Amino acid sequence: MTYNDRALKIQLNYSLLNPEKTSEEDFQYAKTAGYTFDKILQTHNESIENAMFEMGKCSKRLAVDLFLASLSTQRLDLRSGLPVYVIMRQFPIHNFKSDFISCKICANNAEDLVDLTFINKIRFSHGGIISGNIYDFLFILQQHNKLPHVKPTKKDFDIFQSIIEIVRNAESNDSPSKVQKKIGKVEGFKSNAEQRKALLETLGFCSILETEEHKGFLHQFINLGLAPRSRHSSDWLYPVDWWKGRDGINQDALKFWFGEYEELRSLFK
């Protein structure tokens, strides 16, 4: 699996607020390579329909395999499909319903001019999501379905086991931020704080990291646009935003998502 280093660099340097900083020549080069995209006007109803179509082409095993395979390779675009897959499993099929501007069911606008290049930048730089936007989800699923089926290696399984054990052994009052720093020390796991944050948020969406009151997406849909925050200044997504070390790990959710791997059997003893 090879990447175009020049196109990737152009994409990672792209600015949402100042897109003009990317020259037209560079943008077109990265566009031809499949890293940058023209902005596109999309509608709520059509995006949900198209996202459900893309979900029909996904599988849990593929999403989890790619997530795991990203851990030792730092190929973050492989990691981004799982959080969207988890959320879209519970996403309600509906038409736009609003009392004001955004949809009261999913908090998305009736239509948006979507900056696909920025979404792709997040795929490659964070390995997760930054909102519950259906327009983002549609694009991520489309790109996810174009990826080859990369299988995780022993190194990937070892890294994942180490991450889970760190979470499992967290102190009672440990916050996600504190755990994020701890998993940064896992051998072979090259990452920065934002990437580790996205990973823990994904485990929250999976319901592996949740609380009794604030559940993940394993059995329900949560409108991330309206989900409560643990504090006003928090920049963590729901539900891991509410999690503390004392909440531990939802073993049933962990088994649902990762229980099929013989290499991870020690996590379920």
Side-chain angles (χ1 to χ4, degrees):
M1 188 174 182
T2 59
Y3 290 79
N4 184 316
D5 290 339
R6 178 187 167 191
L8 179 58
K9 184 178 180 179
I10 292 168
Q11 177 221 65
L12 293 176
N13 287 331
Y14 179 82
S15 170
L16 176 67
L17 298 179
N18 298 290
E20 68 280 356
K21 288 186 175 181
T22 300
S23 72
E24 182 63 22
E25 179 184 354
D26 281 349
F27 188 90
Q28 290 302 324
Y29 176 84
K31 179 181 174 182
T32 300
Y35 288 76
T36 59
F37 302 83
D38 294 327
K39 295 178 183 179
I40 184 172
L41 184 66
Q42 294 183 315
T43 65
H44 171 281
N45 294 354
E46 186 176 9
S47 292
I48 291 177
E49 180 181 353
N50 290 337
M52 291 302 176
F53 173 77
E54 294 295 333
M55 275 294 289
K57 297 190 289 184
C58 294
S59 70
K60 182 177 81 170
R61 187 56 180 254
L62 173 61
V64 178
D65 272 357
L66 293 184
F67 174 85
L68 289 169
S70 75
L71 299 177
S72 66
T73 61
Q74 206 183 10
R75 296 297 193 181
L76 297 168
D77 56 319
L78 301 183
R79 198 178 301 171
S80 302
L82 181 59
V84 176
Y85 178 83
V86 171
I87 294 171
M88 288 302 300
R89 282 182 68 249
Q90 302 296 345
F91 196 94
I93 299 175
H94 64 281
N95 289 323
F96 183 77
K97 297 179 181 178
S98 176
D99 295 326
F100 185 51
I101 297 176
S102 61
C103 178
K104 60 184 179 182
I105 296 175
C106 66
N108 289 283
N109 295 331
E111 64 178 26
D112 260 336
L113 182 62
V114 186
D115 193 331
L116 301 179
T117 301
F118 178 71
I119 303 170
N120 211 31
K121 175 181 177 177
I122 297 300
R123 285 181 66 235
F124 280 86
S125 62
H126 285 56
I129 62 173
I130 59 174
S131 74
N133 194 314
I134 187 61
Y135 304 112
D136 294 13
F137 290 175
L138 170 57
F139 175 77
I140 292 170
L141 287 174
Q142 289 170 333
Q143 299 305 306
H144 173 77
N145 284 332
K146 295 177 182 179
L147 293 169
H149 193 153
V150 184
K151 299 293 184 67
T153 64
K154 182 181 184 301
K155 192 172 183 180
D156 295 310
F157 290 121
D158 289 345
I159 291 171
F160 186 72
Q161 286 189 7
S162 296
I163 290 171
I164 294 300
E165 290 304 327
I166 287 173
V167 175
R168 184 172 279 153
N169 294 319
E171 299 292 332
S172 177
N173 287 324
D174 277 359
S175 64
S177 294
K178 192 164 186 178
V179 172
Q180 172 269 119
K181 293 177 182 177
K182 290 182 179 181
I183 66 176
K185 299 178 181 178
V186 170
E187 184 178 355
F189 183 49
K190 295 180 181 179
S191 59
N192 61 34
E194 284 298 324
Q195 293 160 3
R196 295 190 293 271
K197 176 175 176 287
L199 186 146
L200 291 176
E201 288 174 337
T202 294
L203 296 182
F205 303 143
C206 289
S207 294
I208 296 168
L209 300 183
E210 61 179 14
T211 73
E212 283 297 320
E213 185 177 355
H214 302 286
K215 300 290 187 181
F217 286 80
L218 184 59
H219 299 298
Q220 64 178 347
F221 172 73
I222 301 103
N223 184 334
L224 286 178
L226 299 177
R229 292 177 178 269
S230 63
R231 60 189 190 283
H232 183 71
S233 60
S234 175
D235 63 351
W236 287 80
L237 292 177
Y238 187 95
V240 77
D241 180 32
W242 293 88
W243 183 90
K244 294 287 187 181
R246 59 178 170 269
D247 296 303
I249 284 177
N250 181 334
Q251 195 73 3
D252 290 338
L254 181 65
K255 191 170 185 179
F256 176 84
W257 292 108
F258 298 96
E260 297 178 12
Y261 296 95
E262 182 69 17
E263 297 88 345
L264 298 176
R265 62 187 180 277
S266 63
L267 295 178
F268 306 103
K269 291 180 180 178

